[in-house]
Amino acid sequence: MTVLDMTIVNVALDHLSRAFEAPLSVIQWAVTGYSLALATVIPVTAWAVGRYGAKRVFLTAVALFTLGSGLTGLAWNAGSLIAFRVLQGLGGGMIMPVAMTVVLRAAPRERKGTMMGLLGIPVLIGPMAGPILGGVFTDSLSWRWIFFVNVPVGALTLLLGARVMRSDDERIRRPLDLAGLLTLSPGLAALLYGLTLGGERGGFGDAGVLVPLVAGAALVTAFAVRAPRAPHPLLDLRLLRRASVGRAVTTVVPFSAAYFGSMILVPLYWQQERGLSATEAGLLMAPQFLFSGTVMQFSSRVSDRVATRAIVVPGVLCAVTGFLAFAVQAGPGTPYWRLVASLALMGTGVGMTNMPVMASATRGLADSEVAAGSTALNIILQIAASVGTALTALLLTATDGFRTTLLCGAGLMALALPMAMRLPRLSPSGGTSQR
């Protein structure tokens, strides 16, 4: 539901603007505020898990997200809508990294790939289902159901979580890195805000874009410089120096940036170039996500038995080929089936790449390091997605053409290939090669 809420609101922005008699630029903050709240709260996740336990933090986060959802559905003006969306994001930001921590701690080394594949399902289904459900709820019921739908799901999650999840036996009681919190959280929020605004405005020269961008980058850099020397850093960046983690990160960053950039670019192509509705665009993208989700389950399980490199390198090649095929054919008269087939090929490659890489990054982590590792990976992916989205919007404005922007996206994704070739070449059962 947290991933779904990043896209489900997009198709209702026009309805919300009319309902509250507010400019679209103001209503857009219902999306931006949610994303920034997500980014702001993620850095504190590892500390909170160590201090209070994963079960307690998870249930608290779900309760906050569910409460925020219900209140957002009851919003009476634009200000209350944005405020409750921020509350929603503050709860939602912790859910995925805590869930990842719980699952990775429980899973033995030889099954981490399988578990990561299961965790990856929401990441793929959410963006696909969001525009479709958003359109159906808005057209057939009311925009309020976009948020009310989270309430029964959240209540069921709380019930199951309270009954099924085990309480943590050990706690890591360390002081909160207040200096780290005051640099990383606002730094990420400012950085992502600057990237988002720059993408929307088609450039980064405006003071309203440049100031938060530079300030955010400076704060994040200050955190990165200080963290390795801090006695109890908010986030242990030393984990990134390990070969298994570092190589996985350098593979997934350009790949994810290109992939999330395509998530806004392809629907715009369907709607602006081909004149389709948001719901129709979502349905045409469904095969891509279905292929991704299905292939991910197989590739994640296989990654527990064979070398990561043997899966990910063909996966990157497959995704780049599909992306490139779509880019070359993008035009006003190309048959739909050829474009959908290209996206399905791209989805197949995504399913072979993302979660096997993430599983490779976490296999070498001790239980005490999993919370910090999963938090760091979630932050890195959030930044990569924002960079990819902003870069895509900027290129689309600068080039004034879908094909050129799509070709650049395929080129960015291809940068993951040389990094993927440095991933472990031995299977998890046979040990991980660091050469």
Side-chain angles (χ1 to χ4, degrees), residues 287-308:
Q288 172 187 347
F289 298 113
L290 290 175
F291 271 78
S292 293
T294 303
V295 172
M296 180 187 291
Q297 299 313 302
F298 289 104
S299 65
S300 298
R301 286 167 170 77
V302 171
S303 72
D304 287 329
R305 299 190 297 272
V306 304
T308 304

Side-chain angles (χ1 to χ4, degrees), residues 4 64 73 143 207 253 334 352 368 374-375 426:
L4 183 78
L64 197 61
W143 64 264
V253 163
T334 308
M352 295 171 65
S368 60
S374 61
T375 300
L426 299 181

Side-chain angles (χ1 to χ4, degrees), residues 115-387:
M115 295 299 100
M116 289 297 287
L118 293 175
L119 280 173
I121 292 176
V123 179
L124 292 172
I125 291 179
M128 172 185 71
I132 299 173
L133 288 178
V136 170
F137 286 145
T138 302
D139 294 336
S140 304
L141 296 171
S142 164
W143 64 264
R144 298 184 185 275
W145 281 98
I146 291 176
F147 308 107
F148 286 154
V149 70
N150 294 331
V151 176
V153 178
L156 180 61
T157 304
L158 287 170
L159 177 64
L160 291 175
R163 296 186 60 181
V164 174
M165 293 177 70
R166 294 197 301 265
S167 298
D168 299 62
D169 295 327
E170 297 181 8
R171 304 279 176 85
I172 304 174
R173 298 185 180 275
R174 57 176 183 168
L176 177 62
D177 178 15
L178 188 59
L181 180 63
L182 293 176
T183 52
L184 185 57
S185 287
L188 281 174
L191 182 63
L192 297 182
Y193 172 68
L195 287 169
T196 302
L197 201 60
E200 291 174 358
R201 296 184 180 179
F204 299 96
D206 185 83
V209 175
L210 197 59
V211 170
L213 197 62
V214 172
L219 287 170
V220 171
T221 301
F223 173 84
V225 171
R226 176 188 171 276
R229 301 192 298 272
H232 302 286
L234 186 68
L235 204 62
D236 190 358
L237 297 181
R238 290 169 294 190
L239 295 176
L240 299 178
R241 297 175 184 173
R242 298 187 187 178
S244 60
V245 180
R247 292 174 185 179
V249 166
T250 53
T251 301
V252 81
V253 163
F255 191 88
S256 294
Y259 173 66
F260 282 101
S262 74
M263 297 286 286
I264 67 163
L265 189 59
V266 174
L268 283 175
Y269 164 78
W270 290 128
Q271 294 175 72
Q272 294 184 9
E273 190 81 4
R274 308 301 292 264
L276 302 180
S277 67
T279 303
E280 290 170 330
L283 290 172
L284 283 174
M285 292 185 69
Q288 172 187 347
F289 298 113
L290 290 175
F291 271 78
S292 293
T294 303
V295 172
M296 180 187 291
Q297 299 313 302
F298 289 104
S299 65
S300 298
R301 286 167 170 77
V302 171
S303 72
D304 287 329
R305 299 190 297 272
V306 304
T308 304
R309 187 188 307 181
I311 303 171
V312 175
V313 170
V316 174
L317 286 171
C318 189
V320 172
T321 302
F323 202 162
L324 192 60
F326 186 91
V328 171
Q329 298 179 90
T334 308
Y336 288 115
W337 71 266
R338 282 165 49 184
L339 295 170
V340 171
S342 299
L343 290 177
L345 180 61
M346 177 182 169
T348 300
V350 171
M352 295 171 65
T353 303
N354 274 349
M355 286 307 159
V357 171
M358 298 285 279
S360 175
T362 57
R363 278 196 182 94
L365 300 179
D367 283 353
S368 60
E369 299 171 327
V370 168
S374 61
T375 300
L377 289 172
N378 275 275
I379 289 174
I380 290 167
L381 287 176
Q382 184 83 18
I383 294 174
S386 297
V387 169

